[in-house]
Amino acid sequence: MLMFFYFSTFFLCGLWVFCMDRKHLLITLLSLEFMVLSLFVLMYYYLCGFNYEFYFVIVFLVFSVCEGSLGLSILVSMIRSYGNDYYRSFGMLQC
Amino acid sequence: MPNNSTKILLLTTLTSGILISISSNSWFGAWMGLEINLLSFIPMMMEKKNIYTTEASLKYFIVQAGASSMLLFMVMMSAMEESMLINSDNLYTQMLMNTPLLLKGGVAPMHWWFPGVMEGLNWNNCLILMTLQKSAPLSLISYQINNDMFLEMIIVTSVMIGAIGGLNQTSLRKIMTYSSINHTGWMMSAMITGNDMWVTYFTIYSMLTLTVVSIVKTTKLSFVNQMAMTEKKNKLTKFLVFTSILSLGGLPPFLGFMPKWMVIQAMMTNEMKTTATMMVLMSVVTLYYYMRMTYSSLMMLHLETKWLIAQPINKTPKHIILLTSISITGLMMSEMIMNLD
């Protein structure tokens, strides 16, 4: 039960920073990586109960690294078109 | 800027991601499919390299990546909880697992990213975003759905927001977005009542969206006032736009009425009269803004600007005429076939 609270706090801290609309986009991407890290620990803990079948951890890491690099490439294209990565400059498509 | 072969590759991986996620045995497989889908749609959005596509892809990426990691967290936590505790409360588990999927599909209380993303894309990607990208989250929801207060609330809010949000819009992309949100509410109620009825609804909705988008794409319209300024002699285009939009709104002689009819029928038999009344009323509101899109262009004395570039009348592509004639006569044809025996 203690592990539940630990994982929840770990993940929700990352989610809090992810949703908090900080100054830079890079912070959001970093907090996404933080969430991925908490998911990694959670998955490690979970798969210990399945006869230590850790092969899915590899798949998870591959996908999350792809996601992180896609986020970085979006950051690069953002900087190339706006000149900065501030959240304040993203008002182009407001509805 | 992807060229054609890149586009083929990305479209293949996008579709295979959807297939992996809807046909997987476990939630991990479903998560993997959703992730492949996201990773292949983001480069497709960057068709033209400008400020709009960049921001749209950024918004889409942030929302979808957050939602997929939340989904994985919820899945693992609920699996561990079920293995540990004996009487775990199932209602909240289902609610928590549905919420990231609803966020991914752009269903109403979690819809705020959807109009902004649609505004920055070209029409092809808008079509993919409205139809293909919704199919994986919606089918994952349909696997674990049951009729409770939470989903009824989701249905009512998505139908209402889809109707009311589109009222004051001038951009055709936003109007299509809000109509998509509205139709998603109908699809959710089709999921609750029938077994595979939402697949029928989804297929017919996708076809009607394809019709409207292909007309709008060839005539290069993107705002409501441009629709009113189409050429006076070009009656065929006006007719095609008008009928296909009425069909999307679900007016009786056209094809778009058929899935709504089925859903209303099933909801009546399942004693969901209040929700059904709400949905029908809100669909009248959507019909109002569909009508407002096209009505002024059908006036006899409407404005025609001097700088209008005349489009040749006989250049209307054949597939548009085919799609529109299906959407006009589809309901009558299917009724005739069913009553033939």
Side-chain angles (χ1 to χ4, degrees):
Chain A
M1 208 61 209
L2 195 63
M3 291 309 275
F4 264 49
F5 287 116
Y6 169 64
F7 290 135
S8 304
T9 318
F10 195 175
F11 185 79
L12 290 176
C13 284
L15 195 63
W16 173 252
V17 180
F18 186 73
C19 298
M20 223 167 76
D21 203 7
R22 305 294 299 217
K23 189 178 173 190
H24 292 281
L25 174 63
L26 190 62
I27 302 290
T28 307
L29 294 177
L30 277 175
S31 68
L32 190 69
E33 290 306 306
F34 187 82
M35 278 153 71
V36 164
L37 204 65
S38 79
L39 283 178
F40 176 73
V41 178
L42 177 55
M43 188 171 286
Y44 212 82
Y45 184 76
Y46 176 63
L47 290 177
C48 279
F50 281 92
N51 228 351
Y52 298 92
E53 290 274 354
F54 288 137
Y55 72 95
F56 191 77
V57 171
I58 298 287
V59 180
F60 173 73
L61 281 182
V62 167
F63 273 102
S64 52
V65 165
C66 284
E67 204 181 50
S69 65
L70 186 68
L72 279 181
S73 68
I74 289 174
L75 178 77
V76 168
S77 86
M78 200 83 227
I79 287 171
R80 281 170 66 97
S81 52
Y82 281 87
N84 54 31
D85 69 334
Y86 296 153
Y87 256 111
R88 294 282 162 252
S89 57
F90 293 162
M92 200 60 82
L93 300 175
Q94 290 293 322
C95 38
Chain B
M1 270 170 274
N3 49 10
N4 266 341
S5 54
T6 320
K7 241 186 247 173
I8 291 170
L9 173 70
L10 290 176
L11 206 55
T12 316
T13 49
L14 186 138
T15 319
S16 66
I18 292 169
L19 291 179
I20 287 170
S21 89
I22 68 177
S23 61
S24 69
N25 256 333
S26 65
W27 278 103
F28 292 125
W31 173 80
M32 267 162 46
L34 288 172
E35 208 74 356
I36 293 169
N37 187 14
L38 169 66
L39 292 178
S40 50
F41 188 53
I42 294 284
M44 280 179 74
M45 291 166 108
M46 295 276 196
E47 197 153 309
K48 268 207 188 83
K49 198 96 173 73
N50 55 22
I51 213 163
Y52 302 108
T53 55
T54 311
E55 190 178 329
S57 63
L58 174 78
K59 266 188 184 175
Y60 190 73
F61 173 77
I62 295 276
V63 169
Q64 300 284 320
S68 62
S69 65
M70 255 186 281
L71 175 70
L72 201 57
F73 177 72
M74 295 303 175
V75 164
M76 276 190 291
M77 286 302 264
S78 67
M80 281 165 67
E81 189 198 351
E82 274 168 16
S83 66
M84 260 185 213
L85 306 172
I86 295 164
N87 48 0
S88 56
D89 200 343
N90 211 10
L91 173 68
Y92 293 115
T93 311
Q94 190 222 356
M95 211 160 107
L96 287 173
M97 300 245 272
N98 273 337
T99 308
L101 292 172
L102 293 171
L103 179 61
K104 271 182 166 296
V107 190
M110 282 76 81
H111 72 285
W112 291 104
W113 58 274
F114 200 14
V117 172
M118 284 277 284
E119 195 63 26
L121 301 179
N122 61 358
W123 279 110
N124 283 332
N125 290 332
C126 283
L127 181 65
I128 293 174
L129 193 61
M130 280 191 291
T131 60
L132 271 183
Q133 294 297 97
K134 277 194 184 226
S135 65
L138 283 181
S139 48
L140 286 182
I141 291 168
S142 82
Y143 292 153
Q144 49 157 357
I145 206 164
N146 52 21
N147 189 359
D148 57 357
M149 202 62 204
F150 172 67
L151 282 163
E152 212 143 300
M153 194 199 72
I154 294 284
I155 290 166
V156 170
T157 44
S158 68
V159 167
M160 279 181 75
I161 285 175
I164 294 170
L167 276 180
N168 210 12
Q169 303 293 343
T170 52
S171 156
L172 287 184
R173 286 187 176 85
K174 274 178 187 151
I175 288 179
M176 291 301 287
T177 311
Y178 282 107
S179 99
S180 169
I181 292 169
N182 181 297
H183 280 286
T184 315
W186 282 81
M187 277 174 224
M188 301 283 292
S189 59
M191 269 175 216
I192 284 182
T193 52
N195 302 324
D196 282 338
M197 202 200 297
W198 81 275
V199 179
T200 315
Y201 199 111
F202 186 78
T203 315
I204 291 176
Y205 166 70
S206 309
M207 212 212 71
L208 296 175
T209 313
L210 174 65
T211 315
V212 174
V213 166
S214 53
I215 293 169
V216 160
K217 194 177 72 185
T218 48
T219 46
K220 294 196 180 63
L221 303 169
S222 56
F223 289 98
V224 172
N225 59 346
Q226 292 168 350
M227 188 93 93
M229 286 194 300
T230 43
E231 205 183 356
K232 219 179 266 183
K233 276 177 292 184
N234 201 348
K235 294 200 185 72
L236 182 63
T237 305
K238 286 176 187 173
F239 177 73
L240 294 181
V241 172
F242 194 58
T243 49
S244 57
I245 276 174
L246 284 187
S247 180
L248 189 66
L251 214 65
F254 303 126
L255 180 61
F257 179 61
M258 193 175 85
K260 291 199 172 176
W261 193 6
M262 287 160 56
V263 172
I264 291 167
Q265 177 83 37
M267 290 181 88
M268 284 295 123
T269 53
N270 283 343
E271 296 286 324
M272 297 167 68
K273 294 196 176 68
T274 324
T275 319
T277 313
M278 198 72 171
M279 283 158 61
V280 172
L281 282 177
M282 286 302 144
S283 125
V284 172
V285 178
T286 61
L287 207 59
Y288 168 70
Y289 63 75
Y290 289 138
M291 290 285 280
R292 209 184 50 179
M293 263 162 81
T294 50
Y295 205 64
S296 55
S297 68
L298 291 175
M299 297 281 174
M300 267 174 139
L301 292 174
H302 79 90
L303 233 63
E304 187 171 315
T305 46
K306 289 283 185 198
W307 59 82
L308 191 72
I309 301 163
Q311 289 152 349
I313 296 170
N314 52 2
K315 273 290 183 62
T316 311
K318 294 288 182 292
H319 70 278
I320 288 177
I321 295 177
L322 178 69
L323 283 170
T324 318
S325 51
I326 290 173
S327 87
I328 292 169
T329 59
L331 179 60
M332 296 176 251
M333 285 298 175
S334 59
E335 291 305 302
M336 270 201 261
I337 290 168
M338 280 181 193
N339 293 328
L340 202 60
D341 55 33

